[in-house]
Amino acid sequence: MHLTLDHLLYAGPELDRLVRELARTTGATPVVGGKHAGQGTHNALLGLGADTYLELIAPDPDQDGGDFAASIDALPGAELHAWCVRTDDADELVARIRDGGHGVVRRSMSRVTPEGDELRWELIFATGHAWAGAAPFFIAWGETPHPAARLAQGASLRSLTVLHPEPGPLRTWLAGLGLATGAHEAVAIEEAPGRGLRADLSGRRGPLALRGGAGGIRLAQ
């Protein structure tokens, strides 16, 4: 089984505002993605290269809400909210999470692109831990082509730093699943007074950093 960083969630109250902000700061305009039916959100995507992208996500005014919308409804402004790791073997990942003493929630998802193509994937959430969005959630794309393949590279990801008061247990857990982190990897987990995320990017208009409190996606179980 192989695990690698898939995408980052940049969340806020209004999708149009997120798109304008990222277009201004990076010099590249994110591409409209689609609606997460039943989850209450819609998105836009900014390619970061190497099968990685930034997902801009906000409540969808055309839906009545859902788990994703409830997770970001209270945000006063834009923030880096969560990070997602890709797996090529969902069943093996689920087995490793359970072997580590955590529960698992699996969600089959889909959306229709503006071109009319349907994308399907599965999300995997580890439960029963106290890391919230400092821990990633996971995605398995199956036979669906990776969305980044459709995106021009709008910026490059230099590093993702995960901040936590007690980073050791989180590092150990991720290493047990098979995700390497550290100074020489795309993801570093560092000690800090509070929980948070920081993504250092390089765009057409120079370097920029996206930050947030790592609230993560909360599911109704």
Side-chain angles (χ1 to χ4, degrees):
M1 181 186 72
H2 182 64
L3 297 177
T4 189
L5 181 65
D6 190 79
H7 67 277
L8 310 177
L9 265 67
Y10 191 61
E14 297 179 17
L15 186 60
D16 287 348
R17 187 184 302 176
L18 294 177
V19 170
R20 290 195 302 270
E21 176 189 343
L22 265 295
R24 176 179 58 82
T25 55
T26 66
T29 301
V31 176
V32 172
K35 297 175 180 290
H36 302 120
Q39 298 299 330
T41 51
H42 56 166
N43 69 1
L45 310 178
L46 183 72
L48 300 179
D51 292 334
T52 306
Y53 62 95
L54 181 69
E55 178 180 7
L56 286 61
I57 186 169
D60 180 5
D62 295 331
Q63 297 189 57
D64 292 331
D67 284 350
F68 288 9
S71 297
I72 60 179
D73 269 341
L75 294 179
E79 71 159 44
L80 195 60
H81 195 62
W83 58 298
C84 181
V85 168
R86 181 167 68 252
T87 179
D88 59 357
D89 191 333
D91 291 337
E92 174 63 19
L93 173 63
V94 167
R96 292 187 188 185
I97 292 172
R98 288 176 173 155
D99 286 346
H102 298 294
V104 175
V105 174
R106 304 177 74 164
R107 291 280 178 90
S108 295
M109 299 281 296
S110 66
R111 68 172 173 86
V112 178
T113 70
E115 296 76 26
D117 298 324
E118 185 178 40
L119 306 183
R120 292 182 175 273
W121 65 94
E122 183 180 18
L123 297 182
I124 300 164
F125 299 86
T127 63
H129 62 74
W131 298 309
F137 65 100
F138 302 89
I139 192 166
W141 287 104
E143 298 302 316
T144 292
H146 195 271
R150 299 168 175 250
L151 301 172
Q153 184 169 343
S156 59
L157 177 65
R158 297 161 59 195
S159 64
L160 172 66
T161 304
V162 180
L163 306 171
H164 197 273
E166 297 181 1
L170 179 56
R171 288 194 199 107
T172 299
W173 179 66
L174 290 173
L177 295 180
L179 181 68
T181 61
H184 302 292
E185 303 293 339
V187 181
I189 300 176
E190 298 181 357
E191 185 173 358
R195 189 180 65 222
L197 297 172
R198 184 183 76 242
D200 291 297
L201 308 178
S202 180
R204 298 173 187 173
R205 295 178 177 165
L208 68 147
L210 303 178
R211 295 179 172 84
I217 302 296
R218 300 182 299 275
L219 301 176
Q221 300 179 43

Short mmCIF file of all heavy atoms in Angstrom, two decimals, residues 14 42 47 60-61 81 103 108 118 125 130 190 214:
data_model
loop_
_atom_site.label_atom_id
_atom_site.label_comp_id
_atom_site.label_asym_id
_atom_site.label_seq_id
_atom_site.Cartn_x
_atom_site.Cartn_y
_atom_site.Cartn_z
N GLU A 14 -17.73 31.75 1.57
CA GLU A 14 -18.22 31.96 0.22
C GLU A 14 -17.18 31.50 -0.80
O GLU A 14 -16.03 31.96 -0.77
CB GLU A 14 -18.55 33.43 -0.03
CG GLU A 14 -19.67 33.98 0.85
CD GLU A 14 -19.93 35.44 0.57
OE1 GLU A 14 -19.49 35.95 -0.50
OE2 GLU A 14 -20.56 36.10 1.42
N HIS A 42 -19.76 23.11 -2.15
CA HIS A 42 -19.27 23.09 -3.53
C HIS A 42 -17.83 23.56 -3.51
O HIS A 42 -17.34 24.08 -2.50
CB HIS A 42 -20.14 23.92 -4.47
CG HIS A 42 -20.33 25.36 -4.06
ND1 HIS A 42 -20.85 26.31 -4.92
CD2 HIS A 42 -20.09 26.03 -2.89
CE1 HIS A 42 -20.92 27.48 -4.31
NE2 HIS A 42 -20.46 27.35 -3.10
N GLY A 47 -4.44 23.62 -9.15
CA GLY A 47 -3.41 22.61 -9.29
C GLY A 47 -2.11 23.03 -8.62
O GLY A 47 -1.64 24.16 -8.80
N ASP A 60 -22.69 25.44 0.05
CA ASP A 60 -23.40 25.65 -1.20
C ASP A 60 -24.79 26.21 -0.89
O ASP A 60 -25.61 25.53 -0.27
CB ASP A 60 -23.52 24.31 -1.94
CG ASP A 60 -24.26 24.42 -3.26
OD1 ASP A 60 -24.62 25.54 -3.66
OD2 ASP A 60 -24.48 23.37 -3.89
N PRO A 61 -25.08 27.44 -1.31
CA PRO A 61 -26.39 28.03 -0.99
C PRO A 61 -27.56 27.29 -1.62
O PRO A 61 -28.71 27.50 -1.20
CB PRO A 61 -26.27 29.46 -1.53
CG PRO A 61 -25.18 29.41 -2.55
CD PRO A 61 -24.23 28.36 -2.08
N HIS A 81 -8.01 24.21 6.39
CA HIS A 81 -8.91 23.53 7.31
C HIS A 81 -8.57 22.05 7.53
O HIS A 81 -8.83 21.51 8.60
CB HIS A 81 -10.34 23.64 6.77
CG HIS A 81 -11.41 23.31 7.74
ND1 HIS A 81 -11.63 24.02 8.90
CD2 HIS A 81 -12.35 22.33 7.73
CE1 HIS A 81 -12.65 23.51 9.56
NE2 HIS A 81 -13.10 22.48 8.87
N GLY A 103 -11.49 3.72 15.18
CA GLY A 103 -12.62 3.39 14.34
C GLY A 103 -12.46 3.98 12.95
O GLY A 103 -11.55 4.77 12.69
N SER A 108 -18.71 6.89 0.31
CA SER A 108 -18.63 6.92 -1.14
C SER A 108 -19.14 8.27 -1.62
O SER A 108 -20.20 8.73 -1.17
CB SER A 108 -19.45 5.80 -1.76
OG SER A 108 -18.91 4.54 -1.41
N GLU A 118 -18.69 12.54 -14.54
CA GLU A 118 -18.90 12.17 -13.13
C GLU A 118 -17.62 11.60 -12.55
O GLU A 118 -17.01 10.69 -13.12
CB GLU A 118 -20.03 11.15 -12.99
CG GLU A 118 -20.35 10.83 -11.54
CD GLU A 118 -21.48 9.85 -11.36
OE1 GLU A 118 -21.54 8.88 -12.16
OE2 GLU A 118 -22.30 10.02 -10.43
N PHE A 125 -12.23 8.09 7.04
CA PHE A 125 -11.96 8.91 8.21
C PHE A 125 -11.65 8.00 9.40
O PHE A 125 -12.43 7.10 9.72
CB PHE A 125 -13.17 9.78 8.57
CG PHE A 125 -13.57 10.76 7.50
CD1 PHE A 125 -14.43 10.37 6.48
CD2 PHE A 125 -13.09 12.05 7.50
CE1 PHE A 125 -14.82 11.26 5.49
CE2 PHE A 125 -13.46 12.96 6.51
CZ PHE A 125 -14.32 12.55 5.51
N ALA A 130 -7.96 12.39 19.17
CA ALA A 130 -8.15 13.78 19.60
C ALA A 130 -7.38 14.77 18.74
O ALA A 130 -7.20 15.92 19.13
CB ALA A 130 -7.72 13.93 21.06
N GLU A 190 5.16 19.42 13.59
CA GLU A 190 5.98 20.16 14.53
C GLU A 190 5.20 20.52 15.79
O GLU A 190 3.98 20.64 15.77
CB GLU A 190 6.51 21.45 13.87
CG GLU A 190 7.41 21.19 12.67
CD GLU A 190 7.93 22.47 12.05
OE1 GLU A 190 7.55 23.57 12.54
OE2 GLU A 190 8.71 22.38 11.09
N ALA A 214 -6.90 23.92 11.61
CA ALA A 214 -7.01 22.47 11.48
C ALA A 214 -8.27 21.94 12.14
O ALA A 214 -8.24 20.98 12.90
CB ALA A 214 -5.76 21.79 12.06
#
